[in-house]
Amino acid sequence: MTTAVYTGSFDPITLGHLNLIKRASKVFDRVIVCIMYNKDKHPLFTMEERVRQVRTVTQRFPNVEVDSSDMLVAEYARMKGAGVVVRGLRAVSDYEKECQMALINKRLNPELETFFLPASEKYMYLSSSAVKELALFGADLSAFAPREIIGEIEAKFDGKGRK
Ligand code: ADP
């Protein structure tokens, strides 16, 4: 059985993330989406909110689990018995950072392979930051964020600024 971990901030989860999860769930027996505590000290959503949101939007995938961690990805994968870390590649701009992370993870855990999935054409330029920017201006988020969490994103903004 191949277990893959898909890590990120998911602040909030976008349709681009969800597309990647769906595709990974078809390739790997088990996919653990792990929300990582990170350098961003001011996330829009708390860890608990993000875990709940990701669980809600992935519940239709039976082999997908949701977790959170403050461990290094390489250590977390080892603990979970995962041999693969899945990452998404959008434009060229993701490439350098992602390669660096893959090499560091390999150094820390030689058993761990990084699998890159190219972003789907539709979501190539979609990021959590873009969703937040759009929400700030009161834009329609339906093409960018899972419908189950759009209300929650909008509720964080009053149309003029962050609440
Ligand atoms: P991080 O802070 O770790 O980059 P993100 O939540 O921004 O966390 O992204 C997690 C992973 O999802 C990264 O591998 C990123 O490249 C990928 N990703 C983000 N947005 C998209 C998208 N629109 N399409 C495909 N992959 C994406």
Side-chain angles (χ1 to χ4, degrees):
M1 183 166 104
T2 309
T3 300
V5 294
Y6 175 42
T7 60
S9 312
F10 306 104
D11 185 41
I13 185 164
T14 70
L15 289 180
H17 292 125
L18 198 55
N19 175 266
L20 221 74
I21 293 168
K22 181 179 168 188
R23 288 157 66 201
S25 76
K26 289 185 188 157
V27 175
F28 302 104
D29 301 310
R30 179 181 176 222
V31 176
I32 305 172
V33 181
C34 187
I35 305 164
M36 292 293 182
Y37 284 92
N38 76 8
K39 63 279 170 193
D40 184 359
K41 295 198 181 67
H42 303 290
L44 181 61
F45 290 104
T46 65
M47 181 55 85
E48 292 68 31
E49 287 172 326
R50 282 179 276 162
V51 167
R52 182 177 37 75
Q53 290 168 350
V54 178
R55 282 216 174 104
T56 301
V57 305
T58 60
Q59 61 186 348
R60 68 191 135 115
F61 306 119
N63 60 338
V64 173
E65 296 161 35
V66 182
D67 194 10
S68 62
S69 174
D70 58 3
M71 294 171 80
L72 285 168
V73 172
E75 293 304 324
Y76 178 81
R78 201 196 314 267
M79 180 186 85
K80 289 289 181 181
V84 170
V85 55
V86 173
R87 300 290 294 176
L89 281 183
R90 284 164 294 183
V92 189
S93 50
D94 273 344
Y95 181 78
E96 199 161 325
K97 188 189 88 183
E98 293 292 344
C99 270
Q100 184 190 27
M101 274 192 32
L103 292 173
I104 292 172
N105 285 335
K106 190 83 183 156
R107 188 67 70 84
L108 296 175
N109 177 354
E111 301 300 308
L112 187 62
E113 293 295 348
T114 299
F115 276 54
F116 292 124
L117 282 176
S120 96
E121 205 179 344
K122 251 163 103 181
Y123 305 124
M124 186 60 81
Y125 293 99
L126 181 56
S127 63
S128 299
S129 318
V131 167
K132 287 180 269 196
E133 187 80 14
L134 288 163
L136 181 64
F137 290 98
D140 175 9
L141 299 181
S142 56
F144 310 109
R147 63 180 161 70
E148 298 95 320
I149 66 163
I150 288 178
E152 243 185 291
I153 302 170
E154 287 170 345
K156 290 270 182 187
F157 298 89
D158 59 12
K160 293 183 219 74
R162 196 163 148 174
K163 268 184 186 162

